[in-house]
């Protein structure tokens, strides 16, 4: 379901000089006894210390594309977060795309959110004001996140266009970053990126799902060593 988007994401990363980083032993791919496949890519590219991408293929039950980009510590820009889930047998989409802020602060929002604000207006279908159950919307999510629970219309017609524009807007933000005095020091950026991993590893609603497919031992390692390695 999300393969064209996965291809677009990985090829944009490569075009921008992405080089693969090694993934801890056994975490790059796992195939469960029922044939569910999880596969991940890990990149470093100019300006980004880490960019991870994961695809889960559990057939009609569930398809996932998940990705997080972490800029270098001398860049206070938001992280880029993507979580796309397609429950095929129920034709249900959960799509979350955000520039994930390190700080909930007016000046920070003014500086980094014009692109996402424009997208939010352009794609009202992807912002149906859903309520979060596991996460706190005011921690590491922005007021302009695209968050939708939808169906086949959204997944086929809207998402491919929005995904492309979302990626472009994030790269644009990176390219346009001016050299005004930063709001956060590199030490603060580092502390907040580490805190993002700690927070996310505790809240991520995927943990149970991974455990049911791939067992507890592998899932704990995947969350701690690959998804959120600074949580250790
Ligand atoms: C929700 N994400 C979910 C859910 C699952 C996943 C199973 C619950 C579905 C539901 O609410 O119906 C799945 N999350 C995954 C998987 C991975 C993962 C498979 O990390 C890893 C491979 N989540 C992110 C990122 C964002 C994000 C980067 O990992 C930010 C864009 C957001 N996911 C996000 C939000 C929800 C969600 C906001 C709804 C959770 C809530 O209701 O609090």
């Amino acid at each position: 379901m999300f393969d064209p988007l996965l291809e677009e994401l990985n090829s944009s990363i490569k075009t921008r000089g992405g080089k693969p980083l090694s993934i801890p032993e056994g975490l790059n791919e796992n195939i469960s006894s029922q044939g569910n496949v999880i596969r991940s890519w890990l990149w470093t590219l100019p300006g980004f210390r880490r960019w991870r991408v994961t695809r889960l293929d559990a057939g009609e039950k569930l398809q996932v594309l998940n990705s997080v980009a972490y800029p270098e510590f001398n860049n206070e820009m938001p992280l880029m977060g993507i979580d796309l889930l397609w429950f095929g047998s129920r034709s249900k989409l959960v799509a979350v795309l955000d520039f994930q802020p390190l700080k909930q602060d007016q000046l920070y929002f003014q500086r980094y959110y014009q692109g996402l604000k424009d997208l939010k207006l352009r794609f009202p279908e992807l912002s149906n004001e859903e309520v979060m159950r596991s996460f706190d919307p005011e921690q590491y999510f922005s007021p302009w996140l695209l968050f939708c629970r939808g169906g086949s219309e959204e997944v086929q017609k809207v998402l491919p266009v929005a995904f492309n524009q979302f990626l472009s807007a994030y790269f644009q933000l990176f390219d346009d970053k001016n050299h005004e005095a930063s709001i956060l020091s590199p030490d603060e950026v580092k502390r907040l990126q580490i805190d993002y991993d700690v927070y996310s590893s505790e809240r991520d609603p995927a943990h149970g799902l991974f455990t049911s497919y791939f067992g507890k031992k592998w899932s704990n390692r995947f969350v701690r060593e690959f998804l959120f390695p600074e949580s250790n």
Side-chain angles (χ1 to χ4, degrees):
M1 169 57 76
F2 297 127
D3 282 351
L5 306 186
L6 170 69
E7 176 55 33
E8 179 178 348
L9 179 56
N10 277 335
S11 71
S12 305
I13 292 172
K14 278 186 265 181
T15 305
R16 289 187 158 252
K19 298 274 178 293
L21 285 175
S22 73
I23 295 181
E25 182 69 33
L27 298 183
N28 67 316
E29 188 176 86
N30 196 348
I31 304 177
S32 77
S33 51
Q34 302 94 347
N36 302 314
V37 181
I38 188 163
R39 190 164 172 223
S40 297
W41 293 259
L42 185 61
W43 305 98
T44 180
L45 56 157
F48 293 89
R49 64 179 185 86
R50 176 182 177 84
W51 194 318
R52 65 165 166 83
V53 178
T54 296
R55 173 199 197 286
L56 170 68
D57 176 0
E60 277 288 289
K61 266 201 316 283
L62 180 61
Q63 297 284 318
V64 179
L65 177 60
N66 181 276
S67 182
V68 178
Y70 298 80
E72 285 172 350
F73 294 136
N74 63 8
N75 185 338
E76 64 180 5
M77 258 175 72
L79 313 187
M80 189 241 43
I82 295 174
D83 200 12
L84 306 178
L85 296 94
W86 175 248
F87 300 89
S89 47
R90 292 184 279 137
S91 294
K92 288 268 185 271
L93 170 75
V94 179
V96 194
L97 302 143
D98 199 12
F99 296 178
Q100 301 200 258
L102 292 181
K103 200 174 181 193
Q104 305 277 334
D105 171 275
Q106 283 315 313
L107 183 59
Y108 188 91
F109 287 150
Q110 273 168 25
R111 203 175 275 185
Y112 297 114
Y113 284 82
Q114 196 53 53
L116 192 61
K117 284 182 194 174
D118 292 345
L119 284 183
K120 181 120 181 147
L121 292 174
R122 223 172 295 149
F123 298 102
E125 306 91 333
L126 294 186
S127 46
N128 46 15
E129 308 301 335
E130 283 297 335
V131 173
M132 289 187 194
R133 300 169 194 146
S134 333
F135 294 111
D136 173 356
E138 289 182 8
Q139 251 192 304
Y140 297 114
F141 288 102
S142 81
W144 302 279
L145 89 163
L146 305 176
F147 180 14
C148 129
R149 294 184 198 268
S152 45
E153 176 85 8
E154 286 80 11
V155 82
Q156 281 163 12
K157 299 214 172 115
V158 187
L159 190 62
V161 186
F163 186 86
N164 173 274
Q165 294 189 20
F166 173 80
L167 268 189
S168 302
Y170 187 69
F171 282 127
Q172 191 72 46
L173 183 66
F174 176 79
D175 293 341
D176 288 351
K177 182 161 183 339
N178 55 35
H179 296 282
E180 285 175 271
S182 294
I183 298 165
L184 302 169
S185 70
D187 278 351
E188 286 173 302
V189 171
K190 182 175 177 181
R191 183 181 60 76
L192 289 162
Q193 286 196 9
I194 291 172
D195 185 63
Y196 171 91
D197 273 14
V198 172
Y199 172 80
S200 305
S201 71
E202 287 163 0
R203 303 283 184 115
D204 197 326
H207 202 149
L209 182 148
F210 294 142
T211 304
S212 70
Y213 290 167
F214 305 108
K216 193 167 174 189
K217 195 163 161 234
W218 188 88
S219 303
N220 285 344
R221 273 196 70 211
F222 185 66
V223 171
R224 295 227 191 94
E225 297 177 37
F226 179 73
L227 292 183
F228 308 110
E230 306 292 345
S231 65
N232 283 306

